[in-house]
Amino acid sequence: SVYTAGRYGPGGGTLGQVAADVLHVNPWAGFGVGGLATPYDSLWLQVLVLSGIMGLVLMCAALATLGWRWLRLRAVTAPAERSLAGSVLILTVITSFGFPTLTANRGGILAWLILGVMITGRDYGPTGRLQGTRSLSLPLGRRPRRVSHQSPG
C-alpha cells in the first residue's frame, strides 16, 4: 500500500472503494461519460466506472481478440515485427492495472497505432497466406494451361 499511495492494499484501497460504489449504484452500465470525480489509476477501473460490467466484458473481448490475432500471425510475421507487436500487447495489458494505457492521450494513441497496424493491419487467410495483396503475375512454377479448342466435325 505504501508503494501505491493507498490505491491498492488492504480493504481494497481507494480504487476498491470506487469500484464498490459503481457496483452498488449501477453495475451493468456504470456512470457513463461523466464518470466520477476521482483519478482513474487503472484502465479496468476507468472502464468499470464509465461503462460498467458490459464495458469490462467488451474490453476483455478486445484484448483477447488482439491476443488471438497476434498468436495466429506469429508463424507468418518477421521475428522483429512479431516481437515488437507481442511486447506492446503484453506491456499494454500489464500496465493497464496501474495506468489507463489504452485511453490515455499520447500513450493510448501509440499503443492502438502499433497494435492496430502490426496485429490487425493484415489479412491472413485460414491457410496462413497473406490475403488481399494479389499480384498480377502467377507464382513460380505455376503457369496457365493451354486449352485447345477443337471445332466439332
Side-chain angles (χ1 to χ4, degrees):
S1 179
V2 173
Y3 300 111
T4 64
R7 292 180 182 105
Y8 295 102
T14 57
L15 297 181
Q17 294 169 356
V18 172
D21 288 344
V22 173
L23 294 175
H24 178 71
V25 175
N26 195 353
W28 293 106
F31 287 105
V33 178
L36 295 174
T38 184
Y40 302 122
D41 293 322
S42 164
L43 173 69
W44 303 101
L45 180 68
Q46 183 180 21
V47 170
L48 178 67
V49 169
L50 297 179
S51 55
I53 294 172
M54 291 188 300
L56 286 176
V57 168
L58 291 173
M59 181 59 69
C60 287
L63 291 174
T65 300
L66 287 171
W68 174 80
R69 182 88 171 154
W70 175 73
L71 284 173
R72 187 169 172 234
L73 294 177
R74 287 184 64 198
V76 293
T77 53
E81 189 175 344
R82 177 176 55 239
S83 296
L84 179 62
S87 298
V88 170
L89 180 61
I90 291 168
L91 183 66
T92 299
V93 171
I94 290 172
T95 58
S96 69
F97 292 99
F99 180 74
T101 51
L102 295 175
T103 57
N105 283 341
R106 292 164 200 90
I109 290 170
L110 185 61
W112 280 118
L113 180 67
I114 291 174
L115 293 174
V117 169
M118 298 190 122
I119 295 177
T120 63
R122 294 194 179 105
D123 185 22
Y124 291 92
T127 62
R129 292 188 175 163
L130 185 61
Q131 304 290 318
T133 57
R134 300 188 194 277
S135 173
L136 293 177
S137 63
L138 293 171
L140 293 176
R142 297 183 75 195
R143 298 285 174 225
R145 293 183 308 167
R146 293 190 180 253
V147 179
S148 62
H149 296 285
Q150 295 184 4
S151 58

